[in-house]
Amino acid sequence: MTTITLVPEPLTREGFAPFGDVIEASDAVRHFTINAGNTERYHDLAAVEPGPDGRVIVSIFRGQPRQLPFKVEMMERHPLGSQAFVPMADWSYLVVVAPAGNSPRVEDLRVFLARGDQGVNYAPGVWHHPLLALDAVSDFLVIDRSGPGNNCDEVSLEIPGWIPAP
């Protein structure tokens, strides 16, 4: 079976925009001082969407580290709501995404290398690979949807992608 090499690119707001939001404290986002000057608030960083009849929930996912090279053989999506991942430690991780719509092909995939101070919010229906922690066991604060309906579709890729070791 043929595989296609997927080269990670740095996670940026502009590059990730077709798939959702980058969650990070940066000068590029609206921010202001609160709490009598003691706290800087980075405001409204992600469009959290609970979908029809859903409610927003907060969980912690503990991801085991993946080894590179890594074969991408499947993708998933949450058609009814968004799903945000915010790392709770300063460890890099990988984000593999494809546009919302029909089942993705390996040619549709993009891979981002996220820093430990960057989170992501997948827009509803955006295809993504499950958590790809690197280097160490990593905890992520996850904000997503609970509610009625099937909110997780999984597909196997006909041709896998290959993320090489650095």
Side-chain angles (χ1 to χ4, degrees):
M1 178 180 286
T2 303
T3 59
I4 294 179
T5 301
L6 304 169
V7 178
E9 58 188 282
L11 181 64
T12 64
R13 296 176 70 76
E14 299 76 24
F16 194 74
F19 312 105
D21 308 299
V22 173
I23 302 169
E24 67 181 328
S26 89
D27 288 338
V29 299
R30 183 173 173 220
H31 60 101
F32 46 90
T33 304
I34 60 172
N35 298 334
N38 193 51
T39 303
E40 191 71 10
R41 178 178 177 147
Y42 293 84
H43 187 72
D44 197 13
L45 299 177
V48 175
E49 301 287 343
D53 300 320
R55 67 183 186 87
V56 175
I57 61 171
V58 176
S59 306
I60 293 176
F61 287 17
R62 180 163 289 154
Q64 300 301 310
R66 307 291 184 121
Q67 297 298 312
L68 297 179
F70 181 81
K71 188 186 286 188
V72 178
E73 300 179 278
M74 62 82 65
M75 297 290 279
E76 68 179 29
R77 69 176 174 185
H78 306 286
L80 302 179
S82 62
Q83 188 178 48
F85 284 79
V86 181
M88 297 177 69
D90 194 18
W91 295 104
S92 296
Y93 62 102
L94 292 173
V95 176
V96 180
V97 290
N102 295 330
S103 295
R105 299 169 305 149
V106 68
E107 296 86 2
D108 301 323
L109 304 184
R110 287 184 65 187
V111 181
F112 295 94
L113 177 60
R115 301 185 316 259
D117 65 343
Q118 294 177 304
V120 295
N121 182 49
Y122 301 117
V126 165
W127 292 99
H128 59 278
H129 193 279
L131 185 58
L132 290 170
L134 300 172
D135 304 323
V137 174
S138 300
D139 287 350
F140 289 79
L141 186 71
V142 177
I143 304 164
D144 63 352
R145 175 190 195 274
S146 180
N150 178 24
N151 192 33
C152 187
D153 298 327
E154 293 183 2
V155 296
S156 295
L157 297 173
E158 287 184 30
I159 298 173
W162 189 254
I163 303 172

